[in-house]
Amino acid sequence: MGKSYQHDGADLYELVYKQDYKPSIDVTLIEKLIILVSLLFLIILFPLSLIFALRTVGHYERAVIMRIGKLLETGPFGPGLIFIIPCTDTVKIIDLRTTIYDIYPQEVLTKDSCTIYVDGVVFYKVEDPIRAIMQINNYGAATGILAATILRNILGHKTLTEIVTEREELAAYIKEFLDKGTKPWGVNVERVEFTDIELPHEMQRAMATEAEAARVAKSKVIDAEGELQASKNLKKASDIMSANPVALQLRYLQTMNTIAAEKTSTILFPLPVDIISVF
C-alpha cells in the first residue's frame, strides 16, 4: 500500500473506529473470517484477481479505505499503487486540488432597505481527506451552501454604499467566517470573491442621477474657483499697468495688432489713454 498520511485529527479515529459497543456475537471473529476467505479467493484467482485488487491513486489524490465498514487506521493512502481486498474494502478517492464553487445570485436586503442580487465564487481544497469523508456527506455542496448563507447574513448588516465600495474587505471577512465553519470537515477555504452585484433598475437610475448632480455641482465649483483666480490676476495686472503708463500703452498697441490680424473691413480706434488722462 501507499504511504500513510498523518493528520491533526488524532481523536477522529478514536471516534469513528474504536467505538465503545458490545455486540451480541463475536463480530471481530466473523470479520476476520470474511477477510481470510476474501484473501483465499485472491490467491486462487491470481493473477486475474490483481485487476480488482490494485488501484492507482494520482499524485493530487488520496484514497480513504473502509474495511467491512470500518476506517483503516493507517489511511489515507497514496499517491501511487494501493492494494485492496475487493470483497471487503470500499475505496473513496479525494481530490486535493483547489476546487471552484460558484455561488448562484443571492437576494440580499441591505441595512438601508435596498434589495440587491450578489453572486460570487469560492476557492477551497481538502486538507484532511478522512474528515472530509467521515464528518460530512458532501463537503463540496455543504461548503457552497454555507458560503451563500454567510454571504447573505453579513451583507444584510451593511449598507449599499458599503457593499459597493468595500468589496475586498467584505470578501475577506466572509472568507474568514467560512473557513471557521469548514475546518471541522477538513476543508480549507482559500479565497472568496464577488463576481457581480446587481442593482434594481430604479436604484441604478437614482444612483446615476445622484452621480450626475454631483458632477454638475463639482463643475460649478471649479468654474467659480477659476473665475475667482482670474479676477485676482486681472486685479494684479491692472495695479501694475496703472502704476506704469508705458505698460498700459504697450498693452493698447498689442490689442490693436490683434484686431488688425482678424482681417475685418472696419476697425474702430478708441481715443488714446493719455488724451483721457489730460482731462
Side-chain angles (χ1 to χ4, degrees):
M1 293 187 180
K3 62 181 181 180
S4 60
Y5 174 79
Q6 300 295 329
H7 59 89
D8 296 332
D11 57 336
L12 177 64
Y13 175 74
E14 300 291 335
L15 176 65
V16 301
Y17 188 73
K18 296 181 179 179
Q19 299 182 1
D20 186 15
Y21 66 96
K22 296 180 180 180
S24 57
I25 59 176
D26 192 355
V27 179
T28 305
L29 180 60
I30 297 176
E31 291 176 351
K32 291 180 179 179
L33 181 61
I34 293 174
I35 295 173
L36 180 61
V37 172
S38 300
L39 291 174
L40 287 177
F41 272 108
L42 287 177
I43 296 174
I44 295 172
L45 298 177
F46 185 85
L48 183 62
S49 59
L50 293 179
I51 301 176
F52 305 97
L54 296 179
R55 293 285 184 88
T56 301
V57 180
H59 191 77
Y60 52 86
E61 296 175 331
R62 294 296 182 270
V64 179
I65 300 178
M66 303 282 187
R67 180 159 295 167
I68 315 181
K70 295 181 180 180
L71 177 68
L72 291 185
E73 184 178 1
T74 53
F77 303 91
L81 198 64
I82 63 173
F83 177 83
I84 63 172
I85 303 176
C87 299
T88 61
D89 291 356
T90 302
V91 182
K92 299 286 187 180
I93 303 296
I94 301 297
D95 196 326
L96 300 182
R97 293 175 294 182
T98 299
T99 305
I100 301 174
Y101 183 91
D102 290 324
I103 304 175
Y104 60 90
Q106 302 292 312
E107 183 178 1
V108 178
L109 182 63
T110 62
K111 187 178 181 180
D112 49 354
S113 301
C114 295
T115 302
I116 61 175
Y117 292 89
V118 181
D119 58 349
V121 61
V122 179
F123 298 84
Y124 69 92
K125 68 177 180 180
V126 177
E127 287 190 340
D128 192 333
I130 290 182
R131 288 186 178 272
I133 292 294
M134 304 303 299
Q135 296 291 342
I136 192 73
N137 182 26
N138 188 335
Y139 61 86
T143 300
I145 294 173
L146 182 61
T149 304
I150 293 177
L151 183 145
R152 289 195 302 268
N153 291 339
I154 291 180
L155 297 188
H157 292 83
K158 301 292 182 179
T159 63
L160 179 60
T161 304
E162 291 173 341
I163 294 174
V164 174
T165 59
E166 302 176 4
R167 296 177 61 168
E168 295 183 0
E169 292 80 359
L170 290 174
Y173 194 52
I174 293 173
K175 182 259 179 188
E176 181 182 355
F177 267 83
L178 181 58
D179 194 45
K180 290 180 181 179
T182 58
K183 262 320 182 195
W185 308 337
V187 176
N188 176 43
V189 178
E190 297 179 336
R191 291 183 64 184
V192 176
E193 296 289 344
F194 295 134
T195 56
D196 188 25
I197 299 177
E198 182 180 351
L199 305 177
H201 296 293
E202 296 79 7
M203 183 61 63
Q204 293 180 12
R205 288 195 295 268
M207 293 181 67
T209 303
E210 181 181 356
E212 182 66 23
R215 286 193 294 268
V216 171
K218 185 176 180 180
S219 176
K220 290 181 178 180
V221 170
I222 294 174
D223 291 340
E225 291 177 352
E227 291 290 339
L228 177 61
Q229 189 66 29
S231 63
K232 290 181 179 178
N233 292 333
L234 286 174
K235 183 179 182 301
K236 291 181 181 178
S238 63
D239 294 339
I240 295 173
M241 289 183 180
S242 61
N244 191 348
V246 176
L248 183 61
Q249 188 66 27
L250 290 175
R251 181 60 179 168
Y252 171 75
L253 294 175
Q254 184 181 6
T255 304
M256 296 294 295
N257 186 29
T258 304
I259 296 173
E262 296 295 330
K263 297 180 181 180
T264 57
S265 58
T266 303
I267 300 177
L268 298 177
F269 291 91
L271 293 174
V273 178
D274 54 353
I275 296 178
I276 300 176
S277 62
V278 174
F279 296 99

